[in-house]
Amino acid sequence: TLTFTGNSTIIFDTPLARADKAAQTAAEAQQAQAITQQAQTNGTLITQQIIQELTNKYPLMRQMSGVGFQYDTTVVGTGPKNADRLQKSIDQTKKMNANQALIMIGDELQMEMAAKMLSENGIVPTWRVFINNKDGNYGGINWQNLVNIANKYGLPPIFQVYNEPGNDREASMETYKANIGQIAKKIISSGGYVGIQLQSPGEVTEV
């Protein structure tokens, strides 16, 4: 549930000011409730439509347990050691009767390796594409190629773009807001789906 509230300021603490404040707060609360209800209605409908679309296109999603894990940091490179590390994460996931994962990738080779292994083990991923805070527009990422890799292995091409804009180790909030729209359009036009990860109601409101 997302709750949207307005901001009010009391300049003079007098009975009249308090009355005005109460009236303003009540009006804002009513407006916030209406916005929230509309957002919930629209969000629910959109979510249901997307889930139905995804389950129709990707049969593996019909078997989702509703339990998943974020895999350790990233799949770095495509060597045997990295494949072994990913397989251990997959094995642990399956032992806990989970079949969903958030997994970070840095390029197409990493995604190809991970997609093959996840598909063979019945794990449904959300792909988190790494970006550093100096590359605000995901320069060099070919979203169509990433979508094609996911489709090749029967996996949904759902991409988390950026990560927690309040965390300045990656893209900043300014970078996020300046680029999220155009990046989302590129992914969608390539046949992919967009996910975001935010840390607080304040970030939700700002984004």
Side-chain angles (χ1 to χ4, degrees):
T1 300
L2 304 181
T3 302
F4 300 87
T5 59
N7 296 318
S8 303
T9 303
I10 297 178
I11 300 175
F12 300 105
D13 188 15
T14 65
L16 180 59
R18 287 197 297 270
D20 288 344
K21 164 68 175 175
Q24 182 181 15
T25 301
E28 288 176 345
Q30 185 176 10
Q31 181 183 24
Q33 184 178 11
I35 293 173
T36 301
Q37 289 175 345
Q38 187 64 43
Q40 289 173 336
T41 300
N42 290 344
T44 300
L45 291 174
I46 292 171
T47 300
Q48 289 174 345
Q49 292 170 0
I50 291 176
I51 289 175
Q52 187 62 52
E53 181 178 322
L54 285 167
T55 52
N56 288 341
K57 292 171 66 175
Y58 304 97
L60 187 60
M61 292 194 67
R62 301 171 195 166
Q63 305 168 27
M64 289 196 305
S65 64
V67 180
F69 299 96
Q70 178 171 339
Y71 284 178
D72 185 23
T73 58
T74 183
V75 179
V76 182
T78 56
K81 290 184 179 179
N82 299 297
D84 289 345
R85 185 172 62 187
L86 177 57
Q87 188 61 55
K88 287 180 180 179
S89 296
I90 291 172
D91 292 342
Q92 291 173 340
T93 301
K94 295 169 70 174
K95 284 180 182 178
M96 301 187 73
N97 296 319
N99 61 357
Q100 295 167 252
L102 174 63
I103 181 168
M104 185 188 288
I105 55 168
D107 57 38
E108 294 172 22
L109 290 177
Q110 292 174 15
M111 184 171 176
E112 181 88 29
M113 179 192 74
K116 182 177 186 297
M117 295 176 65
L118 293 168
S119 177
E120 290 173 347
N121 286 275
I123 306 294
V124 178
T126 294
W127 306 100
R128 176 179 160 195
V129 183
F130 176 76
I131 183 173
N132 61 48
N133 58 12
K134 297 179 181 179
D135 187 15
N137 62 0
Y138 279 93
I141 297 293
N142 187 318
W143 295 105
Q144 187 63 67
N145 287 351
L146 298 187
V147 169
N148 291 345
I149 292 170
N151 286 332
K152 174 182 176 180
Y153 293 98
L155 299 173
I158 304 172
F159 299 98
Q160 178 196 324
V161 288
Y162 301 109
N163 179 55
E164 301 166 0
N167 180 347
D168 60 7
R169 288 179 297 177
E170 296 183 55
S172 66
M173 177 63 80
E174 289 70 26
T175 297
Y176 193 113
K177 292 191 293 185
N179 293 280
I180 184 65
Q182 62 176 331
I183 298 303
K185 288 180 180 178
K186 289 180 180 179
I187 294 171
I188 293 169
S189 66
S190 298
Y193 300 81
V194 181
I196 60 174
Q197 180 167 314
L198 304 170
Q199 290 179 300
S200 68
E203 284 189 1
V204 172
T205 300
E206 190 165 359
V207 170

